[in-house]
Amino acid sequence: MKHFLSIKDFSRDELLEMIELAKKIKAQTKRKEFVPYLENQTLGMIFEKSSTRTRVSFETGIYQLGGIGLFLSSNDIQLGRGEPLKDTARVMSRMVDMIMIRTFEQSRLDEFAKYSKVPVINGLSNEYHPVQIMTDYFTLLELGKTNPVVAYVGDGNNITHSWLMLSSKLGLEMRVATPKGYECDNDIVKIAKDYALESKAKLSFYNDPNMAVKDADVIITDTWVSMGQESEKETRVKAFAGYMVDDAMMNKAKSDAVFMHCLPVYRGYEVTEEIFEKFEDVVFLEAENRLHMQKGIMVWLDEHR
Ligand code: CP
Ligand code: NVA
């Protein structure tokens, strides 16, 4: 049995298999062919942080696969009153078939997975957001960008870390630009660099967005203030001056480059209203694809238990 906690736990071939499944299931869904891959299965979904996309896509996704989703906000279950994760995992995994968790430290997911009898999926942690980044790559493939040069401009956060894992596993070129003091986690960069040696991925790190975006196929950014960092907003907004993705920055990328954002977006901070709206078809396709990509991941996990 495998858990989906980080992209680093999978081989290139396994990641591509999940993407192929997502492609097939998306086509079936578009043809209104509902195939009950996960008939009568229950997906437990624990949320310790807010969500729109992750909740709606997992809940709809499991339903479309013939199962049912249980939305469990940590405020409403005993976990929020201090019942240990290891007990919650042992109880839930005797009743449900798969569990998705959105939480704080990645170590909470590791702890939960250790005690779970069923596959556990990371629906975002402080360190990683693997289902989002699988979706981003799936979307780029749909847009015909099969070997994209990826530029990430902004905070060295969960989105950046998962993108580093994907790039280093698949052998992509990825440039990361972060302000000083907001770089990616050193240990995570080291893991990515080790994989890059094998896959021939080219990873570069800058403190200047202009260096990262030159001739890129896609410019990606994310909020400067992730969930849990609200009290740092003022300091962060100052530190990220010059990191707003605008027309001038997009013009340094390839002429057919696209802009991507996992959402929610904060217009006038990490991206201008103009650039965001110019690429709204890409960004909302990226959002829709959460539904399809996660179905691929759930079915793959079910096939490998
Ligand atoms: N991108 C993303 O995970 O969105 P939510 O926080 O709305 O789930
Ligand atoms: N980096 C953001 C992503 C939100 C989907 C956060 O962790 O809040």
Side-chain angles (χ1 to χ4, degrees):
M1 184 184 78
K2 294 271 267 185
H3 300 292
F4 193 82
L5 305 183
S6 169
I7 288 172
K8 74 179 156 61
D9 305 331
F10 297 91
S11 68
R12 175 196 158 89
D13 286 350
E14 288 173 324
L15 297 169
L16 297 177
E17 273 169 30
M18 293 175 206
I19 288 173
E20 275 309 305
L21 263 173
K23 190 175 161 189
K24 181 169 100 182
I25 298 171
K26 179 173 180 179
Q28 289 168 333
T29 305
K30 294 287 175 190
R31 291 196 300 266
K32 300 249 179 287
E33 238 180 77
F34 292 103
V35 185
Y37 290 93
L38 302 182
E39 192 166 22
N40 293 329
Q41 294 202 24
T42 304
L43 173 73
M45 307 184 297
I46 302 177
F47 284 88
E48 297 196 296
K49 292 176 178 169
S50 309
S51 167
T52 299
R53 280 142 289 267
T54 305
R55 179 186 176 176
V56 177
S57 54
F58 269 108
E59 202 164 329
T60 306
I62 186 74
Y63 178 72
Q64 292 180 350
L65 293 170
I68 188 163
L70 289 182
F71 170 72
L72 304 164
S73 152
S74 58
N75 299 328
D76 302 330
I77 58 175
Q78 299 287 9
L79 182 66
R81 297 181 69 241
E83 183 168 19
L85 272 176
K86 59 183 180 184
D87 296 350
T88 310
R90 282 178 287 187
V91 171
M92 280 183 63
S93 66
R94 279 167 183 263
M95 299 179 186
V96 306
D97 303 284
M98 220 174 268
I99 297 168
M100 185 243 83
I101 316 181
R102 166 165 287 197
T103 188
F104 292 89
E105 296 79 21
Q106 184 78 7
S107 56
R108 292 180 68 71
L109 274 151
D110 294 336
E111 162 96 357
F112 197 99
K114 188 173 151 196
Y115 288 94
S116 173
K117 288 179 191 291
V118 300
V120 178
I121 302 174
N122 181 356
L124 180 146
S125 65
N126 290 350
E127 289 87 345
Y128 294 116
H129 198 358
V131 290
Q132 177 70 57
I133 277 42
M134 290 292 282
T135 304
D136 290 5
Y137 184 63
F138 176 70
T139 307
L140 284 168
L141 292 179
E142 283 194 331
L143 296 172
K145 299 191 186 295
T146 47
N147 190 21
V149 174
V150 178
Y152 178 91
V153 172
D155 189 18
N157 64 12
N158 42 13
I159 294 293
T160 337
H161 293 154
S162 282
W163 252 112
L164 279 173
M165 289 302 149
L166 185 90
S167 304
S168 63
K169 283 279 173 170
L170 299 189
L172 304 181
E173 176 169 355
M174 179 175 181
R175 296 98 164 253
V176 178
T178 51
K180 286 212 167 66
Y182 294 91
E183 285 96 349
C184 292
D185 180 273
N186 278 330
D187 294 338
I188 293 176
V189 170
K190 195 180 168 305
I191 298 171
K193 283 185 174 168
D194 283 346
Y195 290 133
L197 289 177
E198 211 176 300
S199 70
K200 308 269 184 290
K202 201 170 160 226
L203 309 176
S204 357
F205 299 87
Y206 306 97
N207 293 120
D208 174 359
N210 295 317
M211 302 280 285
V213 298
K214 196 175 171 304
D215 297 326
D217 291 293
V218 53
I219 299 185
I220 300 175
T221 189
D222 183 23
T223 180
W224 296 338
V225 187
S226 283
M227 289 181 274
Q229 299 172 335
E230 290 75 7
S231 63
E232 300 170 30
K233 181 172 175 186
E234 214 180 312
T235 333
R236 284 179 164 267
V237 168
K238 282 191 196 123
F240 285 85
Y243 278 76
M244 187 190 296
V245 179
D246 60 8
D247 208 34
M249 215 187 271
M250 281 307 303
N251 283 336
K252 296 196 173 83
K254 287 204 183 118
S255 58
D256 62 349
V258 294
F259 168 80
M260 290 180 95
H261 194 304
C262 66
L263 302 175
V265 67
Y266 298 88
R267 295 167 169 87
Y269 291 93
E270 70 268 18
V271 61
T272 60
E273 164 83 15
E274 186 201 2
I275 291 299
F276 183 78
E277 291 301 335
K278 183 170 172 195
F279 291 98
E280 63 95 26
D281 53 343
V282 175
V283 175
F284 292 105
L285 174 65
E286 180 186 1
E288 177 194 325
N289 279 338
R290 290 289 301 276
L291 171 67
H292 310 297
M293 187 64 237
Q294 289 161 192
K295 285 202 237 172
I297 293 170
M298 286 191 281
V299 172
W300 191 93
L301 290 172
D302 186 56
E303 284 176 354
H304 290 79
R305 64 165 111 210

